[in-house]
């Protein structure tokens, strides 16, 4: 028998015959529909006929459970991602775009083995189809596109009466998306748009079999204030819906589990015909396990299983399993009109980044896990999703890994089509749009509600919603027992009375500014809550650049510094070239003489920028006007990009990554460029006691200019000034400032941090600032760095035992020369491809080492064996292969 099944599977794979899937064999089962067939409606004359079973769709593309049109076409080899993403091929190689101007059809055949019994129901659940869709079952239109609208428009349809025993067919006609007209998830000016604008089934479609009543996904409130060890009351809430024409009596029952602990839930109900009733249940947990952000503690999760039984205990429906954590998130707008958060009663300085999904909305849980691991590695604690609410698995990962999430709606398109929005081009809202907004908010709130990683929801981004939309959002969030702060917008432009001021600023920068910018007192400097801002950096290393830029593109980076770059932003964006960035780079570090020279200088300037931003917000966490949070614009990229990322599309970390990693350390010493002083930073809740801070300033030849060591007490969740560096004006051209933080009890080096400085800072022209940058009237001169004498560094490489499936290596660097070895970079390279192995976690990188110093670095990366080598390079260190 097995060989018959094998042959049939082979036949299907070769000839593409539709496989008819059995669904929901038992009451309470939920089936996620997979293996859809995809086809353009241009080649179909009678759409509804294709929703009948038995139609020959063997010539259609086969796609997975989640696939936009472009994702499906890439999956089927119509387009190749590597080719599309190379140079400007996405603009020139797509061909006839007319196919994306018509609807696309998603078809699925399903099998029902037994006759549908009395009181049995089949519910079709959508979780968002971009941008809108007609849904047919067995030739009948069960949901028109006037109802099924919006990327987040989740709906439940009772399709029982349209089904039959044995073969059935489901057809979804997804209409083309227009970001200015539809409630979709777009990319504004972040990158070129995908050809399909994200059209199609980007999230799961499910079918559930129930008895007389169905049950919603459960919601949880924990009424938790402080981690004081006192008992906690957990409130579990579900909605039960009666699908019958008579009153139904029954019981909601379930369990909460954590390890060997188990707590029972139970509550009787009586529901009128076609009524939905909310059922609350309470459980007291005597010794609660508290969930913490990763940098503050562990992430214990409780598992919740709930079902609805009718009559004498007959199961009618089973809710999808949910997990929750016991924690408390609060926010307030302080006396400076800045939003500040607390988690479990402690002030929480948000250090985060703006996340983007894949350009074709493909979701890879392992890739997102790697992205989150990178965030934790560089000291970030929060991810912001601006209209990119993603898949449920993202929130599961955030819960497990201890990252906070700020979710919310998108700027600049239909989502903010308000009369008072004088910047966006989205079509103005009409009556039907408020219904779509309501369905979207209800669905997203239900999906996110139990996740302890949720920090806030922003109902607006650049602009606040009008009063009617605000009330709809608030009612929906209240209906879903929303447990964390609701914020009007990410900016200060205005606010609805029902929510009050947002307490967040969105004043830039988005393009390059010098490090001392963040120590100013205007715009995006380190005070208050910066909801999206950064110096516009994130240039990939050469091994990544070669994957998506042609030789001509690479030449243009340094030979034509003002030229537009297809891999920057959209053609209509202020960020379509690197002119501002390159002007600063050439002035500060000197005009490049080669691509390699350009990229070395680029990484130095990127490192400076991100380190300064995160350090400044940490330095000022308890200033007179405290810095309460910053979201770097952006965290990652939707496709291979040249800026706005802390690591590139291929997960290769470069200067921006390691600058952030230094600036994001929990215990750290940092240099305030404007005050010319050293600050001790402590972002922990428990680290305290004496610390030794050493400060050394040397010139380019290693000659000491200033040296001092002090002992100071560190205070949890606070920063303090240690000493001024009064010798900075004595610098002749460029000098290196080394700061080290040591625990005197253990001798451990907690932080090591090296700056290159001149006697003066870049001079900012604040009064002529634009919305995306502040001009510089005089640049610092770092050109002498590049002509430093070459030094010979001794380097030893030692493989370490593999850990968690990753190879590990230790590299010890020693500088016997008087001259500092500047900005040394290490990368793990595949010997065959000569490409960097990613993801890779380095303990530190781009290090500068003084005379007689020894620094030990470690790296962890996938793959085993000996097919890798480590490359060492630097400003004044020759490229060396360590193998």
């Amino acid at each position: 028998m097995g060989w018959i099944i094998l042959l049939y599977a082979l036949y299907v794979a070769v000839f593409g015959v539709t496989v008819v899937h059995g669904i929901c064999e038992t009451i309470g089962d939920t089936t996620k529909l997979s293996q859809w067939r995809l086809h353009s409606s241009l080649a179909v004359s009678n759409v509804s006929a294709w929703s009948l079973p038995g139609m020959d769709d063997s010539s259609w593309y086969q796609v997975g459970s989640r696939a936009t049109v472009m994702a499906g076409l890439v999956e089927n080899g119509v387009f190749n991602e590597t080719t599309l993403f190379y140079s400007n091929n996405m603009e020139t190689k797509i061909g006839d775009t007319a196919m994306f101007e018509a609807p696309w059809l998603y078809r699925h055949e399903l099998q029902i083995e037994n006759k549908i019994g009395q009181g049995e129901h089949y519910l079709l659940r959508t979780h968002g189809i971009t941008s809108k869709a007609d849904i047919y079952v067995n030739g009948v239109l069960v949901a028109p596109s006037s109802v099924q609208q919006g990327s987040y428009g989740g709906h439940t349809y009772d399709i029982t009466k349209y089904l039959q025993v044995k073969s059935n067919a489901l057809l979804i006609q997804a209409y083309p998306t227009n970001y200015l007209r539809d409630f979709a998830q777009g990319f504004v000016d972040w990158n070129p748009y995908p050809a399909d604008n994200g059209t199609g089934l980007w999230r799961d479609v499910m079918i559930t079999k129930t008895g007389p009543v169905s049950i919603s996904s459960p919601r949880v409130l924990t009424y938790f204030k402080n981690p004081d060890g006192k008992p906690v009351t957990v409130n579990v809430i579900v909605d039960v819906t009666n699908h019958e024409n008579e009153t139904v009596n029954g019981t909601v029952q379930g369990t909460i589990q954590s390890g060997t602990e188990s707590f029972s839930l139970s509550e009787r109900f009586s529901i009128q015909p076609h009524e939905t009733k909310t059922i609350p249940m309470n459980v007291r947990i005597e010794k609660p396990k508290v969930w913490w952000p990763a940098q503050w503690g562990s992430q214990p999760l409780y598992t919740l299983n709930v079902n609805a039984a009718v009559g004498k205990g007959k199961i009618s429906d089973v809710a999808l399993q949910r997990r929750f954590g016991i924690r408390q998130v609060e926010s307030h707008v302080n006396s400076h009109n800045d939003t500040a958060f607390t988690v479990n009663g402690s002030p929480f300085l948000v250090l985060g980044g703006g996340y983007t999904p894949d350009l074709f909305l493909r979701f890879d849980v392992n890739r997102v896990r790697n992205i989150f691991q990178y965030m934790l590695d560089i000291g970030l604690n929060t991810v912001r999703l601006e209209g990119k609410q993603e898949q449920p698995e993202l929130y599961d990962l955030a819960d497990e890994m201890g990252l906070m999430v700020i979710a919310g709606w998108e700027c600049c398109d239909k989502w903010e089509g308000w009369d008072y929005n004088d910047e966006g081009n989205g079509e103005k809202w009409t009556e039907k749009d408020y219904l779509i907004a309501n369905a979207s908010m209800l669905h997203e709130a239900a999906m996110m509600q139990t996740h302890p990683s949720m920090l806030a929801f922003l109902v607006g981004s650049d602009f606040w919603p009008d009063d009617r939309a605000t009330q709809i959002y608030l009612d929906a969030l209240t209906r879903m027992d929303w447990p964390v702060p609701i914020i009007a917008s990410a900016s200060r432009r205005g606010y609805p009375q029902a929510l009050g001021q947002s307490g967040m600023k969105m004043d830039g920068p988005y393009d390059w500014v010098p490090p001392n910018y963040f120590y100013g007192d205007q715009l995006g400097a380190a005070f208050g809550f910066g909801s999206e801002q950064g110096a516009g950096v994130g240039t990939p290393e050469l091994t990544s650049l070669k994957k998506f830029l042609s030789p001509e593109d690479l030449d243009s980076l340094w030979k034509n510094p003002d030229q537009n770059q297809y891999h920057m932003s959209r053609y209509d964006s202020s960020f379509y070239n690197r002119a501002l960035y390159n002007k600063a780079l050439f002035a500060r570090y000197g005009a490049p003489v080669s691509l390699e020279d350009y990229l070395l200088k680029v990484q130095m300037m990127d490192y400076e920028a991100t380190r300064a931003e995160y350090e400044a917000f940490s330095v000022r966490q308890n200033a007179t006007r405290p810095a309460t949070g910053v979201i770097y614009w952006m965290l990652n990229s939707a496709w291979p990009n040249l800026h706005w990322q802390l690591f590139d599309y291929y997960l290769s970390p470069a200067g921006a990554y390691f600058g952030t990693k230094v600036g994001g350390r929990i215990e750290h010493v940092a240099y305030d460029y404007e005050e010319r002083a050293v600050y001790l930073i402590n972002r922990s809740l428990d680290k305290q006691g004496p610390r030794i801070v050493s400060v050394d300033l040397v010139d380019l030849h290693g000659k000491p200019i200033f040296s001092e060591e002090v002992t100071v007490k560190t205070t949890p969740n606070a920063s303090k000034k240690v000493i001024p560096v009064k010798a900075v004006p004595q610098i002749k051209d460029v000098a290196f400032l080394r700061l080290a933080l040591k625990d005197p009890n253990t001798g451990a080096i907690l932080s090591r941090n090296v700056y290159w400085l001149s006697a003066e800072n870049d001079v900012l022209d604040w009064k002529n600032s634009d919305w995306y940058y502040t001009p510089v009237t005089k640049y610092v001169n770092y050109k002498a760095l590049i002509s430093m004498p070459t030094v010979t560094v001794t380097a030893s490489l030692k493989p370490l035992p593999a850990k968690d499936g990753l190879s590990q290596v230790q590299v010890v660097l020693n500088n016997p020369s008087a001259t500092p070895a500047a900005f040394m970079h290490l990368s793990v390279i595949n010997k065959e491809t000569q490409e960097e192995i990613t993801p890779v976690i380095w303990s530190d990188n781009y290090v500068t080492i003084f005379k007689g110093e020894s620094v030990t670095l470690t790296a962890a990366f996938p793959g085993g064996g000996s097919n890798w080598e480590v490359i060492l390079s630097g400003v004044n260190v020759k490229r060396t292969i360590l193998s």
Side-chain angles (χ1 to χ4, degrees):
M1 187 66 181
W3 65 271
I4 296 176
I5 296 172
L6 187 63
L7 280 176
Y8 182 66
L10 180 63
Y11 185 79
V12 167
V14 174
F15 296 102
V17 173
T18 299
V19 179
V20 181
H21 299 275
I23 62 163
C24 304
E25 297 180 0
T26 306
I27 293 288
D29 280 357
T30 293
T31 299
K32 179 174 71 175
L33 302 184
S34 59
Q35 295 188 31
W36 291 89
R37 292 289 185 164
L38 172 67
H39 205 272
S40 170
S41 65
L42 292 174
V44 171
S45 58
N46 185 348
V47 169
S48 64
W50 284 93
S51 69
L52 296 172
M55 298 292 285
D56 181 10
D57 59 9
S58 58
S59 63
W60 293 27
Y61 304 116
Q62 183 169 303
V63 298
S65 60
R66 305 165 175 170
T68 63
V69 173
M70 274 302 295
L73 295 177
V74 170
E75 184 181 344
N76 283 271
V78 177
F79 299 112
N80 177 275
E81 174 188 302
T82 302
T83 301
L84 276 185
F85 288 172
Y86 188 74
S87 191
N88 66 341
N89 285 352
M90 201 163 69
E91 188 175 70
T92 61
K93 301 292 186 183
I94 291 290
D96 185 6
T97 58
M99 61 177 167
F100 300 111
E101 298 167 6
W104 282 74
L105 307 178
Y106 290 77
R107 188 173 186 276
H108 187 100
E109 290 212 10
L110 45 98
Q111 187 94 348
I112 295 178
E113 296 297 334
N114 302 308
K115 182 180 179 180
I116 301 173
Q118 182 70 29
E120 293 182 352
H121 298 269
Y122 285 84
L123 306 179
L124 175 68
R125 303 186 192 275
T126 63
H127 296 283
I129 301 169
T130 301
S131 66
K132 58 185 178 181
D134 297 320
I135 302 176
Y136 296 86
V137 175
N138 292 341
V140 179
L141 178 64
V142 300
S145 59
S146 58
V147 175
Q148 182 60 54
Q149 285 204 34
S151 288
Y152 305 104
H155 293 276
T156 298
Y157 307 104
D158 191 335
I159 60 172
T160 311
K161 64 182 179 182
Y162 308 114
L163 298 176
Q164 58 194 19
V165 178
K166 299 300 181 184
S167 297
N168 297 269
L170 171 65
L171 186 79
I172 297 178
Q173 178 172 227
Y175 287 87
T177 303
N178 182 309
Y179 296 135
L180 301 180
R181 179 196 67 212
D182 303 315
F183 289 99
Q185 55 169 321
F187 294 97
V188 192
D189 62 349
W190 307 358
N191 39 252
Y193 296 167
D196 65 344
N197 284 356
T199 297
L201 305 189
W202 73 281
R203 272 188 181 162
D204 291 328
V205 176
M206 300 175 174
I207 293 179
T208 299
K209 182 180 181 179
T210 80
V213 301
S214 62
I215 186 172
S216 72
S217 180
R219 306 182 292 278
V220 177
L221 295 172
T222 58
Y223 302 111
F224 170 75
K225 285 294 181 185
N226 292 298
D228 52 14
K230 294 180 181 178
V232 166
T233 297
V234 176
N235 188 205
V236 176
I237 308 128
V238 296
D239 300 323
V240 179
T241 300
N242 182 2
H243 299 281
E244 300 299 306
N245 295 320
E246 58 188 25
T247 299
V248 174
N249 299 312
T251 304
V252 174
Q253 56 198 10
T255 59
I256 295 173
Q257 290 182 301
S258 174
T260 58
E261 287 187 298
S262 182
F263 308 90
S264 297
L265 304 160
S266 183
E267 188 69 35
R268 297 282 300 167
F269 63 77
S270 180
I271 306 184
Q272 301 297 311
H274 303 288
E275 179 190 14
T276 295
K277 182 175 283 189
T278 299
I279 312 294
M281 296 169 284
N282 292 325
V283 168
R284 181 180 168 95
I285 297 179
E286 295 294 332
K287 296 180 179 179
K289 301 172 183 176
V290 179
W291 186 97
W292 291 95
Q295 293 154 353
W296 283 356
S298 60
Q299 296 76 48
L301 295 169
Y302 290 83
T303 301
L304 174 59
N305 290 287
V306 182
N307 64 60
V310 296
K312 296 181 179 180
K314 183 180 180 181
I315 299 298
S316 181
D317 194 14
V318 178
L320 292 178
Q321 186 182 85
R322 300 299 296 263
R323 295 186 302 176
F324 68 93
I326 294 176
R327 61 89 180 90
Q328 185 72 15
V329 169
E330 294 177 320
S331 72
H332 68 279
V333 177
N334 64 23
S335 60
H336 304 283
N337 287 327
D338 299 325
T339 285
F341 289 95
T342 62
V343 176
N344 297 338
S346 295
F348 182 71
L349 173 64
V350 170
L351 295 184
Y355 170 91
T356 177
D358 169 80
L359 187 63
F360 303 139
L361 305 188
R362 298 167 295 182
F363 185 84
D364 180 342
V365 69
N366 290 322
R367 179 178 176 84
V368 176
R369 182 181 288 108
N370 288 330
I371 287 172
F372 282 4
Q373 185 58 57
Y374 270 2
M375 291 186 71
L376 295 175
D377 178 55
I378 57 180
L380 303 190
N381 55 31
T382 303
V383 58
R384 181 185 170 200
L385 313 174
E386 187 199 336
K388 305 288 180 286
Q389 317 315 348
E390 267 289 9
Q391 305 291 348
E393 294 94 326
L394 179 142
Y395 305 90
D396 291 336
L397 283 175
D399 293 345
E400 295 164 9
M401 300 176 74
L403 280 166
M404 304 306 293
V405 177
I406 297 176
W409 302 126
E410 192 169 272
C411 86
C412 312
D413 49 30
K414 177 64 178 182
W415 289 99
E416 295 189 349
W418 312 117
D419 292 337
Y420 46 84
N421 183 349
D422 56 358
E423 296 178 6
N425 297 313
E427 291 185 6
K428 301 298 183 279
W429 284 37
T430 61
E431 190 66 27
K432 67 178 179 62
D433 295 323
Y434 293 94
L435 297 175
I436 301 169
N438 183 53
S440 301
M441 190 73 264
L442 284 167
H443 184 272
E444 297 307 286
M447 179 183 72
M448 299 175 190
Q449 196 275 344
T450 61
H451 291 283
S453 54
M454 294 306 303
L455 188 66
F457 195 96
L458 276 59
V459 293
S461 182
D462 292 22
F463 285 84
W464 66 102
D466 71 9
D467 288 345
R468 182 179 175 189
T470 297
Q471 198 57 53
I472 284 172
Y473 289 146
L474 287 176
D475 288 347
L477 287 161
T478 300
R479 174 72 182 83
M480 290 295 114
D481 302 288
W482 189 250
V484 299
I486 304 164
I487 296 175
S489 72
S491 72
R492 295 184 184 275
R493 289 184 172 94
Y495 57 90
Q497 290 299 319
L499 283 172
Q501 296 189 36
S502 72
M504 293 186 173
K505 63 177 181 177
M506 206 181 69
D507 299 325
Y510 294 90
D511 211 326
W512 187 83
V513 291
N516 57 311
Y517 172 99
F518 296 103
Y519 289 95
D521 59 3
Q522 301 178 59
L523 301 174
F527 59 86
F529 196 108
S531 62
E532 53 179 67
Q533 59 175 74
V537 302
T539 313
E541 294 280 12
L542 185 57
T543 55
S544 290
L545 290 174
K546 287 181 175 179
K547 294 179 182 179
F548 68 92
L549 295 184
S550 69
E552 293 76 19
D553 296 333
L554 289 169
D555 277 348
S556 75
L557 290 176
W558 66 283
K559 292 180 178 179
N560 303 301
D562 297 344
Q563 182 172 307
N564 288 334
Q565 299 287 343
Y566 188 66
H567 283 263
M568 285 290 287
S569 300
R570 266 177 60 86
Y571 62 86
D572 53 357
S573 169
S574 301
F575 312 100
Y576 198 46
N577 60 55
R578 294 166 67 90
L580 281 172
Y581 179 90
N582 283 334
K583 180 182 178 183
L585 184 79
F586 288 28
R588 297 169 96 240
Y589 288 94
V593 297
S594 67
L595 176 60
E596 288 73 16
D597 181 48
Y598 175 77
L599 293 177
L600 170 64
K601 294 168 179 175
V602 156
Q603 300 308 337
M604 296 184 79
M605 202 158 85
D606 286 7
Y607 184 101
E608 279 187 287
T610 55
R611 176 176 60 179
E613 181 168 356
Y614 285 108
E615 282 184 342
F617 274 82
S618 296
V619 160
R620 294 184 172 177
Q621 63 179 319
N622 55 312
T624 303
R625 184 176 183 180
T628 59
V630 64
I631 299 294
Y632 184 80
W633 199 252
M634 297 179 64
L635 171 69
N636 64 316
S637 53
W639 81 315
N641 211 337
L642 288 170
H643 74 148
W644 280 356
Q645 58 194 355
L646 295 178
F647 45 86
D648 69 31
Y649 181 77
Y650 308 104
L651 302 185
S652 175
Y657 181 98
F658 292 105
T660 301
K661 178 162 181 159
V662 171
R665 288 172 180 155
I666 296 294
E667 283 197 87
H668 187 43
V669 272
Y671 175 71
D672 180 329
Y673 284 83
E674 286 293 301
E675 195 178 352
R676 292 177 173 172
V678 175
Y679 275 78
L680 174 63
I681 296 167
N682 186 340
R683 293 196 295 115
S684 76
L685 291 185
D686 57 352
K687 300 180 187 302
Q688 55 189 325
R691 297 289 185 267
I692 297 172
V693 176
S694 61
V695 181
D696 293 283
L697 184 69
V698 303
D699 67 16
L700 293 184
H701 303 287
K703 182 180 178 180
I705 302 173
F706 174 84
S707 182
E708 191 165 341
E709 184 173 277
V710 296
T711 299
V712 61
K713 285 188 177 180
T714 187
T715 305
N717 238 1
S719 300
K720 62 178 66 176
K721 182 177 176 179
V722 180
I723 57 170
V725 186
K726 297 179 180 179
V728 169
Q730 300 174 24
I731 297 172
K732 298 299 183 185
D733 39 29
V734 184
F736 290 105
L737 175 66
R738 181 184 62 190
L739 308 179
L741 180 66
K742 183 186 292 186
D743 184 333
N745 297 319
T746 65
I749 299 294
L750 304 175
S751 177
R752 184 184 176 281
N753 192 7
V754 179
Y755 301 80
W756 43 99
L757 304 173
S758 68
E760 297 179 348
N761 286 324
D762 297 270
V763 179
L764 289 147
D765 184 8
W766 290 100
K767 65 181 180 181
N768 286 313
S769 296
D770 204 330
W771 62 271
Y772 60 95
Y773 83 109
T774 295
V776 175
T777 57
K778 183 180 180 182
Y779 295 99
V780 297
N781 185 349
Y782 289 150
K783 298 181 181 70
L785 278 169
I786 309 304
S787 57
M788 289 176 65
T790 301
V791 299
T792 300
V793 173
T794 62
S796 64
L797 183 150
K798 176 184 176 183
L800 301 175
K803 184 179 180 181
D804 299 326
L806 298 176
S807 296
Q808 295 197 107
V809 64
Q810 178 189 85
V811 179
V812 179
L813 301 175
N814 184 274
N815 179 19
S817 307
T819 302
F823 205 63
M824 289 186 291
H825 176 226
L826 292 162
S827 55
V828 183
I829 301 293
N830 182 295
K831 287 182 181 179
E832 293 181 3
T833 65
Q834 286 300 295
E835 293 178 357
E836 186 173 12
I837 298 173
T838 62
V840 58
I841 301 292
W842 281 99
S843 59
D844 198 1
N845 216 320
Y846 292 106
V847 293
T848 297
I849 303 179
F850 287 12
K851 178 183 178 180
E853 257 195 306
S854 178
V855 172
T856 300
L857 307 176
T858 59
F861 51 93
S866 58
N867 193 34
W868 55 268
E869 58 194 12
V870 174
I871 305 295
L872 168 67
S873 60
V875 169
N876 60 336
V877 176
K878 290 183 178 179
R879 186 178 186 273
T880 306
I881 299 175
L882 312 177
S883 59

